[in-house]
Amino acid sequence: MSAFPLPPGSVIGILGGGQLGRMLAQAAARLGFDVAVLEREHDAPAGRVAAHAIEGAYDDPAALKSLADVSDVVTFEFENVPAASVAKLAELGAQVAPGPRALAVAQDRFEEKTFLNANGAPTVAFAPADSPEAAVEAVARIGAPALMKTRREGYDGKGQRWVEHASDAARAFAELGGRPVIVEAPAEFVRELSVIAARGRDGATAVYPLAENHHEHGILRRSLAPAHASPALTEQAERIARRILQGLDYVGVIGIELFELKDGRLLVNEIAPRVHNTGHWTQDGCEVDQFEQHIRAVAGWPLGPTAATARVEMLNLLGDEVDGWKRFAAEPETRIHLYGKRDAKPGRKMGHVNKVKPL
Ligand code: AMP
């Protein structure tokens, strides 16, 4: 068993080899850690910057054993880690952070909203359904129009359908694969915001300034941060973040997506138990960025300061937009973060830029 705080030279294991894992690995390296990445694909963005790249499925017992053997702590860069893999890692003696409760809550939209409401974090009204008849009843109860989402495995707006009338509910349920769903009331939001927050092994918490987020076709296009926000709105976001972190007995960085309503109230849309795309601005706009913060937290180090040092517009580079790197490189206000992905498929997150202005 590792003793915390982990000293430099220890190994941080990361389940998942995408861009979030890559930027976590880069932050870990800055603090003197080595990184082991477990990823299915050869040549993954994170594996290419890690000391140990282990190839295998996330539920491959031999690959999990290699990861557990080499790592002093194991974390992950995506939330759909099979629960059995986390149990296996624990059985192999690995310390896993964030823990299985955070994963279980974030993997299922019904569990998530139930947890949030029970912990004083408000959401839209919702109802679960696991049959076409129950779906019709759920839409009737919540009121149409309503948004039907699969309980598990939706991301970037995938796995959801608007239902205009209760009579359309059974068809929407079938179109979503006949899997368990939740039906949500529409949030009449004026802005989509997010807050990135962290909790250390000692229970200390740190909350970043709010970001304002703009999506296109369900994919994050840009974030503006720090978002213009009244002290009351900021305080509300911080209160929500701390309640969630404490309710999950969380260790690490969490991303919390919020809807701001006309009357100034915040509702939580969803939580991601990991570093988050809407927190990329912190790399060039905050004292300690979300990636270093996550490594500090899981390694048992004190959390770093989260204050903004600049105003940032973060733009995701999707597909062949990454070919604009020459233009971005010539802009003095632009910081470039490319993920080293070989294949620029349409809509794929290839990199991002942070356009930085003084506060
Ligand atoms: P999600 O996959 O839950 O993050 O949802 C993707 C996007 O759909 C959000 O960023 C919102 O723009 C929109 N959305 C999700 N849930 C609701 C809701 N209950 N009411 C209105 N819009 C929503």
Side-chain angles (χ1 to χ4, degrees):
M1 279 280 178
S2 319
F4 295 101
L6 296 179
S10 304
V11 178
I12 313 273
I14 303 176
L15 217 51
Q19 66 267 19
L20 300 178
R22 179 179 173 101
M23 291 183 278
L24 283 170
Q26 290 167 326
R30 264 198 329 264
L31 300 182
F33 294 113
D34 277 343
V35 167
V37 167
L38 168 58
E39 168 60 38
R40 278 172 293 207
E41 286 165 33
H42 177 65
D43 209 29
R48 298 221 303 281
V49 301
H52 313 269
I54 302 163
E55 258 180 74
Y58 303 136
D59 58 357
D60 170 352
L64 290 169
K65 183 167 187 329
S66 307
L67 184 69
D69 285 350
V70 76
S71 304
D72 293 291
V73 68
V74 175
T75 188
F76 38 86
E77 59 131 34
F78 65 109
E79 53 274 46
N80 289 319
V81 180
S85 301
V86 178
K88 181 80 193 165
L89 285 167
E91 187 191 304
L92 290 164
Q95 306 257 6
V96 182
R101 172 139 169 77
L103 277 175
V105 164
Q107 283 177 358
D108 181 321
R109 293 182 191 273
F110 178 65
E111 297 294 334
E112 179 177 54
K113 287 194 162 57
T114 304
F115 161 81
L116 289 167
N117 287 180
N119 284 273
T123 66
V124 291
F126 62 99
D130 54 12
S131 68
E133 298 75 28
V136 174
E137 200 186 300
V139 173
R141 181 139 45 100
I142 295 297
L147 193 52
M148 189 181 288
K149 301 180 178 175
T150 56
R151 278 177 62 160
R152 304 176 72 91
E153 285 167 7
Y155 69 96
D156 284 350
K158 295 194 175 74
Q160 42 186 276
R161 288 275 185 289
W162 280 100
V163 182
E164 297 301 329
H165 305 282
S167 56
D168 299 334
R171 194 181 51 200
F173 182 81
E175 282 171 5
L176 290 172
R179 289 178 290 164
V181 296
I182 70 166
V183 173
E184 294 184 13
E188 303 205 349
F189 56 83
V190 291
R191 283 194 298 177
E192 291 196 69
L193 301 170
S194 61
V195 61
I196 307 295
R199 188 165 175 273
R201 288 190 182 272
D202 58 357
T205 55
V207 184
Y208 286 89
L210 282 161
E212 175 183 320
N213 305 311
H214 297 266
H215 298 86
E216 261 173 38
H217 313 298
I219 301 178
L220 182 68
R221 164 55 55 191
R222 65 190 193 122
S223 296
L224 303 169
H228 293 287
S230 67
L233 193 74
T234 302
E235 205 250 321
Q236 203 185 146
E238 289 180 356
R239 196 169 57 235
I240 288 172
R242 293 208 162 90
R243 283 179 177 163
I244 293 171
L245 290 169
Q246 263 135 29
L248 293 172
D249 193 20
Y250 198 82
V251 172
V253 163
I254 195 167
I256 304 170
E257 296 179 19
L258 301 163
F259 296 129
E260 181 188 7
L261 307 185
K262 230 188 277 171
D263 63 8
R265 279 185 309 132
L266 292 175
L267 301 181
V268 179
N269 174 30
E270 63 178 5
I271 59 178
R274 52 171 170 78
V275 288
H276 198 249
N277 196 169
T278 67
H280 290 359
W281 72 276
T282 63
Q283 290 173 306
D284 299 297
C286 288
E287 285 176 309
V288 164
D289 72 37
Q290 64 165 351
F291 300 101
E292 178 176 332
Q293 193 75 290
H294 186 73
I295 299 298
R296 281 172 172 251
V298 302
W301 287 27
L303 297 181
T306 52
T309 54
R311 194 165 291 288
V312 177
E313 178 184 15
M314 190 287 306
L315 296 173
N316 270 340
L317 303 180
L318 306 176
D320 59 14
E321 288 166 5
V322 69
D323 298 338
W325 61 268
K326 262 192 197 160
R327 174 166 52 86
F328 293 124
E331 294 173 359
E333 74 280 16
T334 302
R335 306 281 92 80
I336 303 174
H337 301 266
L338 303 182
Y339 309 150
K341 295 182 182 175
R342 310 280 191 208
D343 192 8
K345 287 188 210 118
R348 191 174 192 206
K349 292 176 181 171
M350 301 298 292
H352 65 275
V353 291
N354 283 329
K355 301 199 168 208
V356 178
K357 290 199 187 109
L359 268 184

PDB file of all heavy atoms in Angstrom, residues 212-232:
ATOM      1  N   GLU A 212     -18.406  29.782 -18.943  1.00  0.00           N
ATOM      2  CA  GLU A 212     -19.641  29.817 -19.744  1.00  0.00           C
ATOM      3  C   GLU A 212     -19.384  28.999 -21.001  1.00  0.00           C
ATOM      4  O   GLU A 212     -18.378  29.226 -21.689  1.00  0.00           O
ATOM      5  CB  GLU A 212     -19.951  31.276 -20.107  1.00  0.00           C
ATOM      6  CG  GLU A 212     -21.140  31.422 -21.026  1.00  0.00           C
ATOM      7  CD  GLU A 212     -21.362  32.882 -21.429  1.00  0.00           C
ATOM      8  OE1 GLU A 212     -21.219  33.791 -20.579  1.00  0.00           O
ATOM      9  OE2 GLU A 212     -21.675  33.091 -22.620  1.00  0.00           O
ATOM     10  N   ASN A 213     -20.286  28.057 -21.303  1.00  0.00           N
ATOM     11  CA  ASN A 213     -20.000  27.082 -22.359  1.00  0.00           C
ATOM     12  C   ASN A 213     -20.999  27.137 -23.502  1.00  0.00           C
ATOM     13  O   ASN A 213     -22.187  27.316 -23.280  1.00  0.00           O
ATOM     14  CB  ASN A 213     -19.991  25.678 -21.754  1.00  0.00           C
ATOM     15  CG  ASN A 213     -19.025  25.585 -20.594  1.00  0.00           C
ATOM     16  OD1 ASN A 213     -17.874  25.999 -20.720  1.00  0.00           O
ATOM     17  ND2 ASN A 213     -19.491  25.105 -19.460  1.00  0.00           N
ATOM     18  N   HIS A 214     -20.485  26.979 -24.701  1.00  0.00           N
ATOM     19  CA  HIS A 214     -21.319  26.991 -25.910  1.00  0.00           C
ATOM     20  C   HIS A 214     -21.095  25.685 -26.668  1.00  0.00           C
ATOM     21  O   HIS A 214     -19.944  25.326 -26.943  1.00  0.00           O
ATOM     22  CB  HIS A 214     -20.952  28.203 -26.765  1.00  0.00           C
ATOM     23  CG  HIS A 214     -21.222  29.504 -26.068  1.00  0.00           C
ATOM     24  ND1 HIS A 214     -22.396  30.203 -26.214  1.00  0.00           N
ATOM     25  CD2 HIS A 214     -20.487  30.187 -25.158  1.00  0.00           C
ATOM     26  CE1 HIS A 214     -22.368  31.283 -25.441  1.00  0.00           C
ATOM     27  NE2 HIS A 214     -21.224  31.296 -24.787  1.00  0.00           N
ATOM     28  N   HIS A 215     -22.210  25.007 -26.961  1.00  0.00           N
ATOM     29  CA  HIS A 215     -22.134  23.715 -27.653  1.00  0.00           C
ATOM     30  C   HIS A 215     -22.665  23.842 -29.078  1.00  0.00           C
ATOM     31  O   HIS A 215     -23.494  24.708 -29.365  1.00  0.00           O
ATOM     32  CB  HIS A 215     -22.990  22.671 -26.924  1.00  0.00           C
ATOM     33  CG  HIS A 215     -22.544  22.405 -25.517  1.00  0.00           C
ATOM     34  ND1 HIS A 215     -22.955  23.161 -24.452  1.00  0.00           N
ATOM     35  CD2 HIS A 215     -21.715  21.468 -25.010  1.00  0.00           C
ATOM     36  CE1 HIS A 215     -22.402  22.706 -23.347  1.00  0.00           C
ATOM     37  NE2 HIS A 215     -21.638  21.675 -23.651  1.00  0.00           N
ATOM     38  N   GLU A 216     -22.193  22.962 -29.945  1.00  0.00           N
ATOM     39  CA  GLU A 216     -22.752  22.827 -31.299  1.00  0.00           C
ATOM     40  C   GLU A 216     -22.924  21.350 -31.575  1.00  0.00           C
ATOM     41  O   GLU A 216     -21.965  20.587 -31.392  1.00  0.00           O
ATOM     42  CB  GLU A 216     -21.748  23.391 -32.332  1.00  0.00           C
ATOM     43  CG  GLU A 216     -22.056  24.804 -32.779  1.00  0.00           C
ATOM     44  CD  GLU A 216     -20.920  25.341 -33.650  1.00  0.00           C
ATOM     45  OE1 GLU A 216     -20.359  24.553 -34.468  1.00  0.00           O
ATOM     46  OE2 GLU A 216     -20.583  26.511 -33.486  1.00  0.00           O
ATOM     47  N   HIS A 217     -24.113  20.960 -32.002  1.00  0.00           N
ATOM     48  CA  HIS A 217     -24.400  19.544 -32.255  1.00  0.00           C
ATOM     49  C   HIS A 217     -24.004  18.678 -31.062  1.00  0.00           C
ATOM     50  O   HIS A 217     -23.427  17.597 -31.225  1.00  0.00           O
ATOM     51  CB  HIS A 217     -23.678  19.038 -33.519  1.00  0.00           C
ATOM     52  CG  HIS A 217     -23.821  19.971 -34.685  1.00  0.00           C
ATOM     53  ND1 HIS A 217     -25.046  20.271 -35.234  1.00  0.00           N
ATOM     54  CD2 HIS A 217     -22.904  20.688 -35.375  1.00  0.00           C
ATOM     55  CE1 HIS A 217     -24.873  21.141 -36.220  1.00  0.00           C
ATOM     56  NE2 HIS A 217     -23.588  21.410 -36.326  1.00  0.00           N
ATOM     57  N   GLY A 218     -24.260  19.194 -29.850  1.00  0.00           N
ATOM     58  CA  GLY A 218     -23.990  18.410 -28.651  1.00  0.00           C
ATOM     59  C   GLY A 218     -22.527  18.375 -28.225  1.00  0.00           C
ATOM     60  O   GLY A 218     -22.200  17.784 -27.212  1.00  0.00           O
ATOM     61  N   ILE A 219     -21.636  19.003 -29.011  1.00  0.00           N
ATOM     62  CA  ILE A 219     -20.199  18.982 -28.674  1.00  0.00           C
ATOM     63  C   ILE A 219     -19.777  20.371 -28.207  1.00  0.00           C
ATOM     64  O   ILE A 219     -20.179  21.381 -28.796  1.00  0.00           O
ATOM     65  CB  ILE A 219     -19.348  18.564 -29.897  1.00  0.00           C
ATOM     66  CG1 ILE A 219     -19.771  17.177 -30.388  1.00  0.00           C
ATOM     67  CG2 ILE A 219     -17.855  18.579 -29.560  1.00  0.00           C
ATOM     68  CD1 ILE A 219     -19.010  16.705 -31.611  1.00  0.00           C
ATOM     69  N   LEU A 220     -18.952  20.405 -27.175  1.00  0.00           N
ATOM     70  CA  LEU A 220     -18.469  21.703 -26.688  1.00  0.00           C
ATOM     71  C   LEU A 220     -17.667  22.381 -27.791  1.00  0.00           C
ATOM     72  O   LEU A 220     -16.751  21.796 -28.374  1.00  0.00           O
ATOM     73  CB  LEU A 220     -17.579  21.510 -25.448  1.00  0.00           C
ATOM     74  CG  LEU A 220     -17.060  22.807 -24.825  1.00  0.00           C
ATOM     75  CD1 LEU A 220     -18.188  23.621 -24.196  1.00  0.00           C
ATOM     76  CD2 LEU A 220     -15.973  22.513 -23.797  1.00  0.00           C
ATOM     77  N   ARG A 221     -18.020  23.629 -28.077  1.00  0.00           N
ATOM     78  CA  ARG A 221     -17.334  24.405 -29.110  1.00  0.00           C
ATOM     79  C   ARG A 221     -16.370  25.390 -28.440  1.00  0.00           C
ATOM     80  O   ARG A 221     -15.203  25.449 -28.753  1.00  0.00           O
ATOM     81  CB  ARG A 221     -18.419  25.097 -29.953  1.00  0.00           C
ATOM     82  CG  ARG A 221     -18.076  26.207 -30.841  1.00  0.00           C
ATOM     83  CD  ARG A 221     -16.993  25.931 -31.834  1.00  0.00           C
ATOM     84  NE  ARG A 221     -17.177  24.782 -32.693  1.00  0.00           N
ATOM     85  CZ  ARG A 221     -16.190  24.293 -33.471  1.00  0.00           C
ATOM     86  NH1 ARG A 221     -15.001  24.852 -33.464  1.00  0.00           N
ATOM     87  NH2 ARG A 221     -16.391  23.258 -34.226  1.00  0.00           N
ATOM     88  N   ARG A 222     -16.909  26.166 -27.453  1.00  0.00           N
ATOM     89  CA  ARG A 222     -16.016  27.102 -26.771  1.00  0.00           C
ATOM     90  C   ARG A 222     -16.463  27.401 -25.355  1.00  0.00           C
ATOM     91  O   ARG A 222     -17.642  27.257 -25.026  1.00  0.00           O
ATOM     92  CB  ARG A 222     -15.859  28.392 -27.572  1.00  0.00           C
ATOM     93  CG  ARG A 222     -17.126  29.172 -27.692  1.00  0.00           C
ATOM     94  CD  ARG A 222     -16.956  30.309 -28.711  1.00  0.00           C
ATOM     95  NE  ARG A 222     -18.093  31.194 -28.543  1.00  0.00           N
ATOM     96  CZ  ARG A 222     -18.006  32.480 -28.261  1.00  0.00           C
ATOM     97  NH1 ARG A 222     -16.841  33.077 -28.135  1.00  0.00           N
ATOM     98  NH2 ARG A 222     -19.085  33.201 -28.109  1.00  0.00           N
ATOM     99  N   SER A 223     -15.493  27.780 -24.546  1.00  0.00           N
ATOM    100  CA  SER A 223     -15.761  28.209 -23.171  1.00  0.00           C
ATOM    101  C   SER A 223     -15.173  29.592 -22.988  1.00  0.00           C
ATOM    102  O   SER A 223     -14.091  29.878 -23.510  1.00  0.00           O
ATOM    103  CB  SER A 223     -15.075  27.291 -22.158  1.00  0.00           C
ATOM    104  OG  SER A 223     -15.586  25.993 -22.216  1.00  0.00           O
ATOM    105  N   LEU A 224     -15.892  30.417 -22.223  1.00  0.00           N
ATOM    106  CA  LEU A 224     -15.406  31.743 -21.848  1.00  0.00           C
ATOM    107  C   LEU A 224     -15.265  31.767 -20.342  1.00  0.00           C
ATOM    108  O   LEU A 224     -16.218  31.437 -19.622  1.00  0.00           O
ATOM    109  CB  LEU A 224     -16.412  32.825 -22.278  1.00  0.00           C
ATOM    110  CG  LEU A 224     -16.753  32.844 -23.764  1.00  0.00           C
ATOM    111  CD1 LEU A 224     -17.940  33.759 -24.047  1.00  0.00           C
ATOM    112  CD2 LEU A 224     -15.532  33.310 -24.564  1.00  0.00           C
ATOM    113  N   ALA A 225     -14.076  32.134 -19.868  1.00  0.00           N
ATOM    114  CA  ALA A 225     -13.865  32.069 -18.426  1.00  0.00           C
ATOM    115  C   ALA A 225     -12.803  33.070 -17.990  1.00  0.00           C
ATOM    116  O   ALA A 225     -11.890  33.361 -18.769  1.00  0.00           O
ATOM    117  CB  ALA A 225     -13.431  30.650 -18.032  1.00  0.00           C
ATOM    118  N   PRO A 226     -12.898  33.573 -16.747  1.00  0.00           N
ATOM    119  CA  PRO A 226     -14.026  33.396 -15.840  1.00  0.00           C
ATOM    120  C   PRO A 226     -15.301  34.004 -16.443  1.00  0.00           C
ATOM    121  O   PRO A 226     -15.240  35.072 -17.040  1.00  0.00           O
ATOM    122  CB  PRO A 226     -13.623  34.179 -14.588  1.00  0.00           C
ATOM    123  CG  PRO A 226     -12.141  34.372 -14.697  1.00  0.00           C
ATOM    124  CD  PRO A 226     -11.819  34.382 -16.152  1.00  0.00           C
ATOM    125  N   ALA A 227     -16.429  33.303 -16.281  1.00  0.00           N
ATOM    126  CA  ALA A 227     -17.706  33.810 -16.781  1.00  0.00           C
ATOM    127  C   ALA A 227     -18.097  35.040 -15.965  1.00  0.00           C
ATOM    128  O   ALA A 227     -17.753  35.143 -14.797  1.00  0.00           O
ATOM    129  CB  ALA A 227     -18.776  32.736 -16.616  1.00  0.00           C
ATOM    130  N   HIS A 228     -18.794  35.970 -16.627  1.00  0.00           N
ATOM    131  CA  HIS A 228     -19.351  37.091 -15.861  1.00  0.00           C
ATOM    132  C   HIS A 228     -20.372  36.513 -14.897  1.00  0.00           C
ATOM    133  O   HIS A 228     -21.311  35.839 -15.330  1.00  0.00           O
ATOM    134  CB  HIS A 228     -19.973  38.118 -16.797  1.00  0.00           C
ATOM    135  CG  HIS A 228     -18.936  38.803 -17.643  1.00  0.00           C
ATOM    136  ND1 HIS A 228     -18.066  39.725 -17.130  1.00  0.00           N
ATOM    137  CD2 HIS A 228     -18.596  38.642 -18.943  1.00  0.00           C
ATOM    138  CE1 HIS A 228     -17.235  40.128 -18.077  1.00  0.00           C
ATOM    139  NE2 HIS A 228     -17.530  39.480 -19.195  1.00  0.00           N
ATOM    140  N   ALA A 229     -20.185  36.744 -13.627  1.00  0.00           N
ATOM    141  CA  ALA A 229     -21.083  36.156 -12.626  1.00  0.00           C
ATOM    142  C   ALA A 229     -21.117  37.044 -11.393  1.00  0.00           C
ATOM    143  O   ALA A 229     -20.082  37.564 -10.974  1.00  0.00           O
ATOM    144  CB  ALA A 229     -20.588  34.761 -12.237  1.00  0.00           C
ATOM    145  N   SER A 230     -22.316  37.210 -10.844  1.00  0.00           N
ATOM    146  CA  SER A 230     -22.460  37.992  -9.614  1.00  0.00           C
ATOM    147  C   SER A 230     -21.833  37.196  -8.472  1.00  0.00           C
ATOM    148  O   SER A 230     -21.711  35.970  -8.562  1.00  0.00           O
ATOM    149  CB  SER A 230     -23.934  38.251  -9.325  1.00  0.00           C
ATOM    150  OG  SER A 230     -24.549  37.010  -9.017  1.00  0.00           O
ATOM    151  N   PRO A 231     -21.494  37.870  -7.380  1.00  0.00           N
ATOM    152  CA  PRO A 231     -20.994  37.133  -6.214  1.00  0.00           C
ATOM    153  C   PRO A 231     -22.003  36.070  -5.750  1.00  0.00           C
ATOM    154  O   PRO A 231     -21.605  34.976  -5.344  1.00  0.00           O
ATOM    155  CB  PRO A 231     -20.797  38.224  -5.154  1.00  0.00           C
ATOM    156  CG  PRO A 231     -20.610  39.493  -5.938  1.00  0.00           C
ATOM    157  CD  PRO A 231     -21.429  39.338  -7.181  1.00  0.00           C
ATOM    158  N   ALA A 232     -23.298  36.384  -5.855  1.00  0.00           N
ATOM    159  CA  ALA A 232     -24.313  35.425  -5.391  1.00  0.00           C
ATOM    160  C   ALA A 232     -24.294  34.162  -6.261  1.00  0.00           C
ATOM    161  O   ALA A 232     -24.423  33.032  -5.762  1.00  0.00           O
ATOM    162  CB  ALA A 232     -25.693  36.070  -5.417  1.00  0.00           C
TER     163      ALA A 232
END
